[in-house]
Amino acid sequence: VPDDDDDDDDERNIHIGSRVLEDDALNDAWSASDLKGFAAISSPMTLGSVITHSFRRHGLDDAMVERMFGFKKDEYDPCLTLHNFQSVDDKEKFLKDLPPISIYHGTKDKTVPYEASDAFYEELRRAMLDESSISFVSYVGWSHTDPILEAPMDGDHRLHRDLLNDVNKWTTSPCLIWPNDSKVNDRLCPHFMVKLSRFVNPF
């Protein structure tokens, strides 16, 4: 006798399958200009030697890094993309379609060196017609994971506040306000534990 739960699972799978097809159809028409804005947090904005040497120190050899990017690492390199346009017109069209960009990076990042974001920011700033559409925020002393892990655990929500400000700048929705609530703003664990985690953090 068929189980009713099995029927429910079948319906759920069909629904998920249809959503995947819908998403694929949407992807066909997707472009960068559809975005209201783009935030890069501790991101490898260039995949050149700086990143390669850093990944090697963490035990990821060159072959592993190539596999991480589907053996198309150069195609996913934002900085290299700016250099490899066939014509000035192609480059200008690409830049025109870009949404506002905010780059956030900790100066003590040992996984994706701060210099990678700094180099991309300078390259993009020189290429952009409107420099105000790109910003670079440095978090002095923060590691690779500090923006999303150690700092919020210690009650430091600078990244999240900055992202909230980005959303307010990039969208026309009603102005969002950071909550004045101790449950949101207070540290989530004792400060000494955060200090300890920073000491042992390999990133």
Side-chain angles (χ1 to χ4, degrees), residues 34-160:
D34 295 328
L35 298 177
K36 296 292 186 182
F38 178 81
I41 305 164
S42 305
S43 300
M45 305 309 290
T46 176
L47 300 175
S49 59
V50 172
I51 294 297
T52 302
H53 293 323
S54 177
F55 283 3
R56 284 174 187 162
R57 288 197 303 271
H58 285 80
L60 300 174
D61 60 23
D62 294 355
M64 174 63 75
V65 174
E66 287 292 338
R67 284 195 291 273
M68 286 168 59
F69 292 96
F71 300 99
K72 298 179 180 179
K73 181 164 72 74
D74 287 353
E75 293 183 23
Y76 292 104
D77 188 326
C79 208
L80 196 59
T81 298
L82 291 175
H83 286 288
N84 287 350
F85 283 105
Q86 299 298 315
S87 70
V88 174
D89 288 344
D90 288 343
K91 186 173 184 177
E92 287 181 352
K93 183 180 183 306
F94 170 79
L95 294 171
K96 184 180 178 182
D97 286 342
L98 286 182
I101 297 173
S102 293
I103 300 171
Y104 299 102
H105 215 120
T107 60
K108 296 296 184 182
D109 192 329
K110 292 180 285 188
T111 301
V112 177
Y114 170 85
E115 292 76 16
S117 283
D118 187 39
F120 177 71
Y121 168 70
E122 290 299 332
E123 190 73 31
L124 190 57
R125 188 174 62 85
R126 284 192 294 268
M128 297 286 279
L129 296 176
D130 180 10
E131 290 186 18
S132 65
S133 65
I134 176 170
S135 64
F136 182 30
V137 177
S138 304
Y139 297 123
V140 178
W142 281 12
S143 70
H144 187 65
T145 56
D146 254 303
I148 61 169
L149 187 58
E150 289 91 345
M153 293 292 287
D154 204 27
D156 187 342
H157 299 282
R158 270 178 283 171
L159 171 68
H160 299 98

